[in-house]
Amino acid sequence: MEGWHWYRPGISREEKILVFKLDLSILLFGCLSTFTKTLDNQALTNAYVTGMKEDIGLTGNDLNYLTAVYYSSYLSFMIPASFFLTRLPISRILPTMEILWGISTFGCAWVHNLKQLYVCRFFLGATETVAFTGVIYVIGSWYKRDELGTRMALFQISAPLGSMVSGYLQTAAYSHLNGRHGIEGWRWLFIVCFCITFPCALIGYACFPNQPNNTRPSWWLKQSEIDLANKRLEAEGIMKIEKKINWRALTRVLKGWPWYCFVFAWCLYDQNQFWGTTPFSLYLKASDRHYTVSQINNYPTVGKAIAIILTLVGSYYSDKTGDRFGPTLLGAILVASGSIILVVWNVPEGARFYAFFIDGAETAMSTFLMSWASDVAKHDSEARSIITASMNCIGQVFLAWVPIFTFDPTAAPRFTVGFIFSMVTGILHVVLACFIQMLDVRRKRKEKRRVLIYAQHGTDADLSDLDNQGSTPSTGEEK
């Protein structure tokens, strides 16, 4: 691991032990939590194409409406929850929400009509409100910049891994459990998902930490290790979290470019990563080639495998070089190429499969964008929390309703409107990545100049003069 620079070269034995413990406590629960969320969410699509549609009488756009109900509940509490993430005991909140999530998933196994499924989806959205942003926030709170990307990558690949496993689980459930004890195979999938979710919550209760400045000693982290963690963060100039809600922080963040650029980028990400998931499954189900149930569930997992590989390779590269732009641009170009092929449509079946598969590169984009945004706001905990929560929340707002009009299930297998929409947003993502890089380069130059002036003069007056000259990074960063 030392050869791969998992640990920063030259760190002490005490710091290495601390980072090892953080990896186990934060990443173990974080990865399992995201894995179960994606597993259970993907289960809806897998169940839909494996008998649920016919068993409970789903028609027309019902699948997209179920997704809209889920996101409506999920988003209702997202922004307010981002403030409380910095003030409530995350080590208890996240595992508790994990248990409630599992119970809601278990309920999906026993629905008999659309209304009952709507209720379950509503509670699933409500219980996931702080899960993703909560783990992202804790990762960004404990790790240093050159440790962040690799850890973020391991966390993010648990999402496509969950989608992959869901497909394989549905295939296994349909093949081996369908009809067992009078229960359909698609219902067994939700039951198995619940059995996987519950142990994850127990791990969270056992070792998942709060923020560094309000974590108490435990059987897992000693006081000396907590003190070392805070010293590491102070060395990078990371602000401690205020206990009172600082509304000025929100105003400060909204005055800078990072909030707008990264939120827009995340909106594009959410739209572009969609057509490789449910639309691909619907394409396979409606195809005149008559793909089998196993093929319908298993083929979409190839894109998830691509996402995992690109996430690991891209994040390792960006951590070692500090280049967040390169992997982001490459992923955006690959996805745009796939959407163009689907717009053309009259191509060999292999080319269409490539187009659907390569959309997995967009899933990897979540790691690059979150790491990039965390880098830009690294010195301001409030800004980092608001930006990352806003990215996730506002992006999901559009994901909740846009697919209703762009990817109507009745249009399968050819989603003409959706493919054209994806091509446009894919090209926009390429352009936006270049624009963010231009602004980030300018920010780094201003920051470097700020540090040099402070080193030469060491007075706040000099820094204020520099601010008045328009050279302060507009990221909400304050030291």
Side-chain angles (χ1 to χ4, degrees):
M1 295 181 74
E2 190 73 50
W4 287 92
H5 289 179
W6 180 258
Y7 303 108
R8 292 180 297 108
I11 67 173
S12 65
R13 181 176 179 275
E14 291 75 15
E15 187 173 353
K16 186 178 293 186
I17 292 174
L18 170 64
V19 175
F20 175 73
K21 285 188 173 184
L22 294 177
D23 290 338
L24 285 182
S25 58
I26 298 175
L27 295 182
L28 181 60
F29 172 77
C31 289
L32 286 175
S33 176
T34 300
F35 172 82
T36 57
K37 299 297 186 301
T38 313
L39 176 68
D40 298 352
N41 271 325
Q42 185 64 31
L44 178 66
T45 298
N46 294 124
Y48 180 88
V49 297
T50 320
M52 183 179 72
K53 175 185 177 182
E54 293 78 12
D55 287 346
I56 66 174
L58 299 182
T59 59
N61 228 343
D62 286 342
L63 183 61
N64 281 331
Y65 292 143
L66 286 165
T67 301
V69 168
Y70 168 83
Y71 282 119
S72 296
S73 173
Y74 176 77
L75 297 169
S76 297
F77 309 100
M78 178 58 66
I79 293 297
S82 69
F83 282 100
F84 293 110
L85 281 176
T86 64
R87 296 161 183 88
L88 297 178
I90 297 178
S91 60
R92 293 294 175 264
I93 292 176
L94 296 189
T96 300
M97 299 300 278
E98 188 76 16
I99 289 178
L100 296 176
W101 168 275
I103 294 173
S104 300
T105 300
F106 188 67
C108 293
W110 310 107
V111 299
H112 294 284
N113 55 58
L114 181 60
K115 290 182 179 180
Q116 293 174 355
L117 192 54
Y118 275 142
V119 173
C120 290
R121 295 294 293 174
F122 176 85
F123 282 108
L124 281 168
T127 53
E128 196 191 353
T129 300
V130 296
F132 180 77
T133 52
V135 176
I136 287 286
Y137 180 77
V138 171
I139 291 176
S141 297
W142 284 89
Y143 290 105
K144 302 184 76 171
R145 190 210 62 80
D146 54 359
E147 300 166 341
L148 184 62
T150 307
R151 273 73 182 181
M152 198 78 79
L154 287 178
F155 168 63
Q156 295 282 16
I157 64 172
S158 53
L161 186 61
S163 293
M164 290 180 64
V165 173
S166 180
Y168 301 140
L169 275 179
Q170 182 58 76
T171 299
Y174 185 85
S175 302
H176 303 293
L177 294 176
N178 189 31
R180 184 72 60 89
H181 302 299
I183 301 175
E184 294 88 347
W186 64 267
R187 296 184 189 274
W188 276 110
L189 177 60
F190 291 113
I191 295 173
V192 173
C193 288
F194 165 75
C195 294
I196 296 174
T197 300
F198 193 80
C200 173
L202 300 181
I203 294 174
Y205 282 125
C207 61
F208 194 71
N210 290 313
Q211 301 92 332
N213 63 305
N214 66 359
T215 292
R216 296 179 179 179
S218 65
W219 70 276
W220 185 246
L221 285 178
K222 302 176 183 177
Q223 184 61 54
S224 59
E225 292 170 330
I226 297 173
D227 293 339
L228 176 58
N230 282 291
K231 289 180 181 179
R232 281 166 28 98
L233 301 178
E234 289 173 4
E236 288 209 341
I238 298 175
M239 293 171 56
K240 289 188 176 181
I241 301 162
E242 298 181 17
K243 294 299 181 181
K244 296 181 179 180
I245 294 178
N246 184 1
W247 295 106
R248 290 182 300 174
L250 179 59
T251 304
R252 186 175 69 244
V253 170
L254 293 179
K255 288 181 179 179
W257 62 264
W259 188 90
Y260 299 95
C261 288
F262 284 112
V263 167
F264 185 31
W266 197 266
C267 290
L268 295 176
Y269 151 74
D270 270 331
Q271 296 302 319
N272 291 336
Q273 59 89 29
F274 179 77
W275 50 268
T277 54
T278 299
F280 188 19
S281 297
L282 296 176
Y283 165 81
L284 294 171
K285 185 177 178 65
S287 174
D288 55 10
R289 293 176 180 264
H290 305 294
Y291 292 103
T292 65
V293 170
S294 296
Q295 290 172 326
I296 293 173
N297 283 292
N298 292 342
Y299 283 167
T301 65
V302 176
K304 306 307 177 184
I306 292 174
I308 291 173
I309 294 172
L310 289 180
T311 298
L312 290 175
V313 174
S315 297
Y316 183 83
Y317 163 80
S318 65
D319 254 15
K320 302 312 166 187
T321 63
D323 177 18
R324 309 292 187 193
F325 168 64
T328 303
L329 181 64
L330 174 62
I333 291 175
L334 290 174
V335 173
S337 71
S339 63
I340 291 173
I341 290 174
L342 291 176
V343 169
V344 175
W345 188 255
N346 293 320
V347 295
E349 183 76 350
R352 291 182 194 167
F353 269 58
Y354 161 81
F356 282 115
F357 289 158
I358 204 61
D359 189 49
E362 188 69 25
T363 302
M365 201 81 67
S366 62
T367 302
F368 309 145
L369 289 175
M370 278 293 179
S371 297
W372 202 352
S374 296
D375 272 357
V376 169
K378 184 66 178 178
H379 300 294
D380 190 337
S381 297
E382 293 281 4
R384 187 173 71 251
S385 176
I386 293 171
I387 291 174
T388 55
S390 298
M391 289 166 64
N392 193 39
C393 176
I394 298 176
Q396 305 285 13
V397 166
F398 287 95
L399 186 59
W401 63 271
V402 172
I404 294 176
F405 303 99
T406 55
F407 288 98
D408 185 344
T410 60
R414 185 176 183 179
F415 303 94
T416 303
V417 175
F419 294 149
I420 294 175
F421 176 78
S422 298
M423 180 182 68
V424 173
T425 54
I427 294 173
L428 275 176
H429 208 165
V430 174
V431 175
L432 182 59
C434 296
F435 183 64
I436 293 177
Q437 172 67 0
M438 180 188 70
L439 294 176
D440 196 29
V441 168
R442 189 177 67 175
R443 176 191 69 86
K444 290 177 179 177
R445 288 175 181 170
K446 293 177 180 179
E447 189 175 69
K448 184 176 181 180
R449 183 183 174 192
R450 180 186 179 96
V451 171
L452 288 175
I453 290 178
Y454 184 83
Q456 292 171 359
H457 303 284
T459 65
D460 292 337
D462 294 322
L463 295 179
S464 299
D465 291 341
L466 183 60
D467 292 346
N468 293 333
Q469 295 170 16
S471 299
T472 300
S474 55
T475 64
E477 296 174 303
E478 294 184 357
K479 296 185 181 178

